[in-house]
Amino acid sequence: MGAIIMKKLTKRSCYQIVSILTFCGAILAVLNNELISGYILIILGYCLLRKSDLEN
């Protein structure tokens, strides 16, 4: 079962998963009034999401 999941994980999907987790962290940071770190995480998540679009 694990081998099937690993075969379906591509570089593009890994970037998307990491960007989603980064956006979740950014939301939590903004809700906890850590605005600077929240905005940095938003920018990082956006860059990762754009990078996933460039992957084949």
Side-chain angles (χ1 to χ4, degrees), residues 21-41:
L21 292 175
T22 306
F23 281 128
C24 291
I27 291 170
L28 290 175
V30 169
L31 289 177
N32 288 327
N33 290 328
E34 299 172 6
L35 296 178
I36 294 173
S37 61
Y39 288 131
I40 290 172
L41 286 173

Side-chain angles (χ1 to χ4, degrees):
M1 181 75 178
I4 296 171
I5 294 172
M6 292 304 291
K7 285 182 183 178
K8 291 185 179 183
L9 275 179
T10 61
K11 199 171 186 181
R12 180 178 181 173
S13 63
C14 287
Y15 279 129
Q16 290 174 344
I17 291 169
V18 171
S19 68
I20 289 171
L21 292 175
T22 306
F23 281 128
C24 291
I27 291 170
L28 290 175
V30 169
L31 289 177
N32 288 327
N33 290 328
E34 299 172 6
L35 296 178
I36 294 173
S37 61
Y39 288 131
I40 290 172
L41 286 173
I42 288 172
I43 292 169
L44 182 65
Y46 178 78
C47 291
L48 287 170
L49 197 59
R50 294 297 112 211
K51 189 166 179 121
S52 74
D53 288 342
L54 297 176
E55 290 294 324
N56 292 330

